Amino acid sequence: MKDSHGGQKIAAQLTPAPRCMPIPQLRDHPDYYSQKKDLVNTKDKFPEYKLIHSQVLQDCIKRVKLAFDRWLKADKNGHKLGKPRFKGKGRYRSFTYPQIKLDCIEENQINLPKIGKVKLIKHRPLPEGFQIKTVTISRKADGYYVTLSLEDKSVPALTTEVEPTLKNTLGIDMGLKEFLVTSVGESVPIPQYYRKSQQRLKTLQKRLSRKKKGSKRWLKALLSVAKQHKKVADKRKDFHFKTANELLSKAEVIAHENLNIKGLAKTRLSKSINDAGWGQFLTILTVKAVSAAPPEEANAGGENYSSEPQKYQPKLLKLWKKSSQKIKHTNSFLSALRYCDRS
């Protein structure tokens, strides 16, 4: 290649070599307390954060800490949860006040810090003598909900133990033809709320697909689909609560089989299994059994105790035992009943 003066010029193709620069180590390893301390700088850089209550921001950091702890550390069974995902403003559906004034509720209004007085509909009056510890505001398809956690230190603790026998034990076997069948031959029919609402959901989703995404009519149609899904979920949860209360009123010991619900939900019967909601029912059954149990016995030996508030009779919900206990994982409630008969 010649230049303007007639000389020779050699063109060489240069290949840039990649530069490897080490990332310097952070001076301070960010943890829960350092991030809480850094909230002051965050409010200076982003003034809109000054509109949010300080304890609400601290609770957000606490949620992040718990999410990463569940991902990095295994639980007592050796299982880890999935990697936490970033939640934008559209996915963050609740916030919590760790502390609030005792007289925050006046008639049909609640006084929330940094927000003011908001009207609410109380589904039941607050019991006397209880103190409001935390307030959680949740956003759902049909509006906002307020969840109060109450505390009363004068509630007595129960210390009565229940020994499982054949007379006070009730076994349940869950299925898809019937929701559950007890050891005495009683059966509870399965409601199938999702299958009954499929036609309505089909109509609403078809209307949603015809709207321009992001428009006002699309948002309105999207809200209609979300409300219908919430209606189905509320019906199912109400059925689970009523069924759990009925079972706990009939026996002192409830035994159920150890189902692999996640594995069964991946089969061709996944729609029916998810519609039945076995996992949610067992969780509700556990919570209802533990709710009235004495704190020192609620988790003793892998056993969960419960009692009816009216009778104050302790109940025992035997979900599963460790291998060191007398009962191992039961594949059916019959093996649990045989053990109770031998004891």
Side-chain angles (χ1 to χ4, degrees), residues 4 6 14-15 28 38-39 48 54 61 155 183 193 279 281 302 317:
S4 58
L14 300 177
T15 303
D28 298 325
D38 194 58
L39 284 175
E48 59 270 17
S54 60
I61 298 177
V155 176
S183 56
Y193 293 113
F281 171 71
L317 177 63

Side-chain angles (χ1 to χ4, degrees), residues 60-170:
C60 295
I61 298 177
K62 183 179 179 181
R63 294 185 183 188
V64 175
K65 175 185 178 298
L66 293 176
F68 275 92
D69 288 345
R70 294 176 184 139
W71 175 48
L72 299 174
K73 301 177 183 178
D75 57 5
K76 60 182 181 180
N77 296 324
H79 301 294
K80 292 184 179 180
L81 297 182
K83 181 181 179 181
R85 65 179 300 175
F86 174 77
K87 284 190 176 182
K89 63 179 181 179
R91 289 185 176 272
Y92 207 83
R93 295 185 175 89
S94 67
F95 60 92
T96 302
Y97 291 96
Q99 292 179 345
I100 200 166
K101 294 182 179 180
L102 300 179
D103 56 348
C104 61
I105 296 182
E106 299 177 357
E107 296 181 354
N108 63 336
Q109 291 183 342
I110 181 171
N111 190 6
L112 299 175
K114 291 286 187 176
I115 296 178
K117 294 184 178 180
V118 182
K119 290 185 179 181
L120 58 84
I121 300 174
K122 291 192 296 184
H123 69 286
R124 69 178 70 178
L126 296 179
E128 296 182 0
F130 283 78
Q131 296 181 356
I132 301 177
K133 301 299 292 183
T134 63
V135 177
T136 302
I137 313 298
S138 305
R139 183 185 64 182
K140 297 186 179 181
D142 56 348
Y144 290 86
Y145 289 80
V146 179
T147 304
L148 306 177
S149 62
L150 308 178
E151 181 187 26
D152 186 6
K153 299 181 180 179
S154 64
V155 176
L158 301 176
T159 57
T160 306
E161 296 184 1
V162 177
E163 292 295 333
T165 61
L166 188 61
K167 294 182 179 180
N168 65 359
T169 303
L170 182 67

